[in-house]
Amino acid sequence: MPFLYPTTPSVSLAGKTLIVPIVSTANVAQLAADLLIASLGLHQVAILDPSYCIPVVGGREDGLEGITTPLELFGKPESRVVIIQQRSPVLVSRKQEFVDALLNFAQTSQFSAVLFLSGMDLSNRSDAQMITPTYQIRLPQSKADLKGTHLQSLEDLPIPVYRSQGGPEGDDSIPFIPGGGLTRRILSSISQEWAIPTASLLQFVLEGDNAADAGMLAAVIVRVLELTVPGDQLRAPSSWKAGLFGSPHDQSLYG
């Protein structure tokens, strides 16, 4: 069964940067992807095999015809990024199958770079990690160099490299990521022969109204990938206004 079902055949994926939000703490990665998709004016270009995920369907953004599925790919011909949006977790019994299919998709599509996004549980933050909520992980096992790629800014921007509590500086293994979902499994599954420049951005968050956290993570992504956002202002999708965290309370209840 194919992993990719194109809905806009005219969009070529080769040479673009793939952004992959991982289902993790507070869904901050998915919320940041929402902001980027809306702000960059991206549209659905493909549906990815939904059989790996818990089944879910819903209405599409802005009342467009059709339904929303668990895994979709967004882009447009003139954009140098494409973004996966994942709306339900991967089935426990298919975790490694999904990871293998995702990594194979990234390789066969000839992306120029891959950036994974993940939330981390703020309650596991150490004193040394209080300087910033945002961290990065680069792949020590990969031969791919970030220099001269869309991820080069990660070497210049003041985004610390994430290490788990008590982890030694020289340790080349992917650290434990509290509340990071499949992030560590995905990064650890990448082999030494992997030739695509790849990194991950992580953000410490607590569960709640995480719209502001998502805005912060999306702003970091824009800076890292040097994206141009119209009006230099991130825009929330219209679905957020319909009650992202539930409908507002009827104030008459409170007198």
Side-chain angles (χ1 to χ4, degrees), residues 18 34 132 250:
L18 175 66
D34 266 352
T132 176
D250 182 351

Side-chain angles (χ1 to χ4, degrees), residues 119-242:
M120 292 190 292
D121 185 357
L122 187 65
S123 63
N124 281 268
R125 198 178 188 183
S126 68
D127 289 346
Q129 294 167 334
M130 293 294 181
I131 57 173
T132 176
T134 309
Y135 285 79
Q136 63 166 299
I137 291 179
R138 301 182 212 165
L139 298 183
Q141 75 271 31
S142 172
K143 297 177 180 178
D145 193 349
L146 300 188
K147 290 181 179 177
T149 74
H150 294 151
L151 298 178
Q152 180 173 330
S153 294
L154 286 173
E155 298 189 346
D156 305 319
L157 293 173
I159 303 174
V161 173
Y162 174 75
R163 295 182 178 86
S164 55
Q165 295 188 45
E169 294 232 0
D171 187 0
D172 280 347
S173 62
I174 302 298
F176 170 67
I177 304 170
L182 292 179
T183 308
R184 186 170 188 260
R185 181 189 287 253
I186 291 171
L187 298 179
S188 299
S189 296
I190 295 176
S191 69
Q192 292 184 349
E193 287 71 38
W194 184 264
I196 306 171
T198 301
S200 179
L201 285 174
L202 316 171
Q203 183 154 318
F204 279 111
V205 289
L206 285 174
E207 296 281 354
D209 184 343
N210 299 102
D213 297 308
M216 183 183 300
L217 180 56
V220 172
I221 297 163
V222 168
R223 183 78 183 275
V224 167
L225 298 180
E226 299 178 345
L227 301 174
T228 301
V229 175
D232 295 325
Q233 183 70 43
L234 289 168
R235 182 173 68 86
S238 59
S239 57
W240 284 25
K241 300 171 186 174

